[in-house]
Amino acid sequence: MSEKPIDGLSESFTRDEYISPEIFATEMKKIYGTNWCFAGLSESLSKIGDRLVVDIGDESILILRNRENELRAFYNVCQHRGSQLCDASGSGFGAAITCPYHAWSYSVEGNLIATPLHEKDSIDRSAISLKPVKVAQWQAFIFVSLDPNAPELIDWLESHYSRPLQLEKFDMASLKNARTTVDEVQANWKVLGENYSECLHCAVVHPELVDLVPIYKTGSTTQTDRPDWGVSLAEGATGLSYKQNENLPLLPAMDEIDDYSVFGAYVYPNMLIDISPTVAVITRYVPRSATHTTIFTDYLFPKDAVDNPDVDLEPTISFSDLVNQQDISVCVRVQRGVASKSFTRAYHTKMERYCKQLIQRYRNEIS
Ligand code: FES
Ligand SMILES: [Fe+2]
C-alpha cells in the first residue's frame, strides 16, 4: 500500500533497499552489471605485463594491455575448471596469463596457448578462450561494462546526468597519483552516493570545508552565477588544503578560471571526481554487500609536484581525507539508523535535488 505523500518531501530509498541482500544482488545484476563502472587509473597499466584485478558487481575482472597498448578485459576465470586466474592487481605476468591450478596459459588476447602435459594437438585449443568484457578509457580512467551491448563509453558519459565531460578541460590524464587510500565502510553504496549528492549536511559535518567553500554553508553545491558548474573558494583561499598559498602547481586550465574554484561529479554508480585548484581526488566505490562498501581514493596532482620531493602534498591530501572521514562517519551512522525496524524509508527535500536524480536513475534501472 502506498503511503500518503508528505508536503515538501519526496520519497527516497526504503529500509529494505539499504539492507536487503536480495535487493543488493539485484543491484549488482541490473546496475553494476549494465552500467560502465570505474575500474582504476590508466597509470596502473603503464607497462606490458601490468594487470588490474577489480570487482565489478559480483564479478572479478582482469584488465591488461596488449603489445599494441590496447586495453583488454576478461572475466578472471580459467575456462578449464573455473579457477580464478589472478588474485590481485600487479605487474609482471609476462607474455601469458597462467592459471595457478593446472597451468593452462592464455595470451593477452585471451586465447588458450598452452595446456601442459598434453600433446599439442590433443586438445582443440582454438575452441577455448577467456570471456571478454567491454573496457575503455576516458581521461586517466579505465571503465568496464559487463553488458556486451553497452553504448560507447564516451556516449554513456555524454548522457550522464552529472555531466562529467565538463571536467575534461582539467586534462586529468596528465596528472599523477600521489597516494591511494582504502576505507572499509559499513554502509550501503547508495548511502554514500546520496551523501555525496547533497550539501545540506556540509555546515554541520564539514566545518573546515565550508570555511573554504562558503556556498556550501547554504546547502547548495552550485552557484547561480557560474554556468561552468564551478564553485568559488572563500576570499584569500587558494586550495582545499590545511595550508593556503602553499605554491603547489595548479591543475591544467585552472589559471583560466577567474576564481579559485572547485568542481565535482558523481559518475553513478561508483565514481566521484572532485577537482580543486591543485588536486583531483578520485573515489571508487566497490560494494561488497548491502551493508559494506570499500572506498578507494586516489589523489592526482600535476606530475612535477608528485616527482619533486621538496613539494609537500601532505596538507592537501590530509585535508581531503579529513572531509572523507567526516562523510564516512555520518554514512556509518545512517546505515545503523536505517537498519532499525522502526525505519521505513528516507526522504529528500527540495534542496536534495541531485539525490532525486540518483533515485530516478536507480528506479529506472532496477525496475
Ligand atoms: S582450472 Fe585453470 S588450468 Fe585447470
Ligand atoms: Fe560530505
Side-chain angles (χ1 to χ4, degrees), residues 195-196 198-199 201-202 205-206 209 323-324 326-328 330:
N195 175 70
Y196 182 80
E198 53 88 1
C199 215
H201 72 274
C202 291
V205 175
H206 305 301
L209 177 65
V323 176
N324 193 18
Q326 290 166 334
D327 280 324
I328 286 173
V330 285

Side-chain angles (χ1 to χ4, degrees), residues 238-255:
T238 57
L240 294 189
S241 173
Y242 283 113
K243 271 196 198 157
Q244 297 299 313
N245 302 304
E246 60 183 334
N247 261 346
L248 288 188
L250 294 176
L251 299 193
M254 273 295 171
D255 55 355

Side-chain angles (χ1 to χ4, degrees), residues 242-314:
Y242 283 113
K243 271 196 198 157
Q244 297 299 313
N245 302 304
E246 60 183 334
N247 261 346
L248 288 188
L250 294 176
L251 299 193
M254 273 295 171
D255 55 355
E256 293 155 25
I257 299 167
D258 289 343
D259 292 347
Y260 286 103
S261 304
V262 296
F263 298 79
Y266 172 23
V267 189
Y268 168 101
N270 81 325
M271 180 192 203
L272 312 177
I273 304 177
D274 285 293
I275 305 271
S276 61
T278 59
V279 64
V281 180
I282 309 299
T283 305
R284 180 164 63 98
Y285 298 151
V286 180
R288 306 292 187 190
S289 74
T291 58
H292 175 199
T293 307
T294 308
I295 303 181
F296 295 88
T297 310
D298 300 314
Y299 301 87
L300 275 53
F301 294 84
K303 274 197 180 80
D304 292 353
V306 181
D307 293 338
N308 183 347
D310 296 332
V311 172
D312 184 10
L313 304 174
E314 203 51 47

Side-chain angles (χ1 to χ4, degrees), residues 126-139:
S126 68
I128 297 274
S129 53
L130 298 181
K131 297 281 190 274
V133 171
K134 285 190 94 152
V135 59
Q137 181 172 341
W138 171 68
Q139 296 261 308

